[in-house]
Amino acid sequence: MSAIPFDQREGSIWFDGVLVPWKDATVHVLSHGLHYASCVFEGERAYGGAIFKSTEHSERLLQSGRLLDFEIPYTAAEIDAAKALVVKTNGKPDAYVRPVAWRGSEMMGVSAQNNKIHLAIASWEWPSYFDPAARLKGIRLDMADFRRPDPATIPSKAKASGLYMICTISKHKAERRGYADALMLDWRGHVAECTGANIFFVKDGVLHTPTADCFLDGITRRTVIELAKRRGIAVNERTILPEELSSFSECFICGTAAEVTPVGEIGPYRYTPAAITQTLMEDYSREVLPKAKAA
Ligand code: PMP
């Protein structure tokens, strides 16, 4: 991928209902979303020009806004159409798609009852990285210091920018220590998720994944569960304790960006990506293809 900064690229961005040149899609420094984290977003992928589970992402975006006490002034169908237009206009059929909604500048304080809700949508080239042989080595995960917060302290089901502050801190620390990402526990000390992806484990032919009761129930996570069930692989959504990390044979993370990515190591524990991880990687890569081309 090119190293051109994201504010200096070419293309079009959908901004409050119209396509504008990429470099003109700017916001004022006195925006509520920037100061008080009243900002929600999505991360989606287009494969062969079609956005995978576009409507589910649009609905989650609207729901994230509601959890932050704002209503994005577009319907899911309108957001779907805008995303498709952006992908088509930018001419990159294998792309990452980033809708973002935020409170504007009418009031600058904790209270922002009447601030305008803005919505922008960008897309940029991001081919699916699918080389099973290289990927099956597995990535290395560190243990994060921060924990996913108690749902009584923050709307933890929202894909809200404020929830990513501790993810960036944790990922930076992991990268400095030579790891690809960090595994976060939840506020009770149970295994939760990575900084931008959900996590699965394998033991004796069964998939185990933490119950998504205080972190994002990823669209990829739900897809993987469905794919596993289609294959007759049992899925056990449950509380997973850190003491159990030594008892699993395989581990992978999943998310829109990560797709299905095998894990070889979490701190002192080692995993060998094998048949179940490989099967789900391949099934996922087939599942995301536009239906007309999937055969
Ligand atoms: N957890 C976090 C913290 C994430 O940022 C993501 C990526 N959106 C996920 C899980 C996976 O979600 P999805 O499969 O919907 O991309």
Side-chain angles (χ1 to χ4, degrees):
M1 242 175 42
S2 139
I4 305 171
F6 274 89
D7 56 353
Q8 289 166 35
R9 298 186 175 201
E10 299 299 328
S12 296
I13 289 178
W14 188 97
F15 198 115
D16 288 339
V18 288
L19 286 173
V20 300
W22 192 278
K23 289 170 194 165
D24 296 346
T26 55
V27 293
H28 197 273
V29 289
L30 295 178
S31 293
H32 200 272
L34 182 61
H35 294 245
Y36 297 97
S38 46
C39 176
V40 297
F41 64 100
E42 273 302 318
E44 317 181 24
R45 267 190 196 253
Y47 295 88
I51 297 172
F52 183 60
K53 301 205 169 174
S54 177
T55 306
E56 274 181 56
H57 282 282
S58 297
E59 284 167 354
R60 186 169 72 183
L61 181 72
L62 292 170
Q63 182 58 18
S64 294
R66 288 182 196 122
L67 288 166
L68 267 63
D69 194 35
F70 66 72
E71 191 67 35
I72 297 169
Y74 301 95
T75 63
E78 287 167 341
I79 298 170
D80 282 350
K83 292 185 298 193
L85 178 66
V86 171
V87 170
K88 189 159 178 261
T89 304
N90 285 330
K92 304 290 183 201
D94 293 310
Y96 188 76
V97 185
R98 168 55 58 87
V100 58
W102 68 98
R103 282 196 176 95
S105 304
E106 289 75 7
M107 291 172 73
M108 185 42 67
V110 172
S111 174
Q113 300 278 3
N114 300 317
N115 284 28
K116 180 177 159 84
I117 306 304
H118 298 273
L119 175 64
I121 302 165
S123 76
W124 57 87
E125 186 171 30
W126 194 347
S128 173
Y129 174 65
F130 196 72
D131 175 355
R135 285 184 102 179
L136 274 170
K137 273 178 49 199
I139 59 166
R140 300 172 64 236
L141 301 181
D142 198 5
M143 289 300 297
D145 295 331
F146 282 105
R147 293 181 172 196
R148 302 311 297 159
D150 179 347
T153 66
I154 201 156
S156 52
K157 293 281 180 192
K159 191 165 168 64
S161 63
L163 281 155
Y164 282 86
M165 181 181 65
I166 56 174
C167 297
T168 298
I169 296 170
S170 303
K171 183 139 177 159
H172 280 187
K173 184 176 174 208
E175 287 176 345
R176 275 196 293 273
R177 285 157 49 89
Y179 293 90
D181 198 358
L183 173 62
M184 304 184 86
L185 304 180
D186 72 14
W187 58 288
R188 297 160 296 202
H190 303 161
V191 171
E193 60 170 352
C194 286
T195 64
N198 293 117
I199 193 158
F200 283 82
F201 300 93
V202 177
K203 180 157 67 177
D204 301 329
V206 174
L207 267 186
H208 298 260
T209 195
T211 308
D213 57 4
C214 64
F215 56 84
L216 204 68
D217 179 9
I219 291 169
T220 318
R221 175 186 184 277
R222 296 201 294 260
T223 306
V224 164
I225 289 173
E226 190 189 310
L227 292 171
K229 288 183 176 166
R230 259 189 238 164
R231 286 268 179 194
I233 299 166
V235 182
N236 194 351
E237 289 183 70
R238 63 177 179 89
T239 297
I240 297 179
L241 300 172
E243 299 85 86
E244 292 179 68
L245 289 175
S246 61
S247 69
F248 299 113
S249 57
E250 297 178 52
C251 173
F252 62 85
I253 62 168
C254 72
T256 296
E259 302 177 308
V260 173
T261 295
V263 173
E265 194 176 321
I266 305 178
Y269 308 111
R270 299 289 175 272
Y271 307 94
T272 308
I276 291 186
T277 301
Q278 189 163 6
T279 298
L280 292 170
M281 269 172 82
E282 290 169 1
D283 285 359
Y284 186 74
S285 74
R286 264 192 302 275
E287 185 72 9
V288 296
L289 293 179
K291 289 304 166 226
K293 296 188 192 166

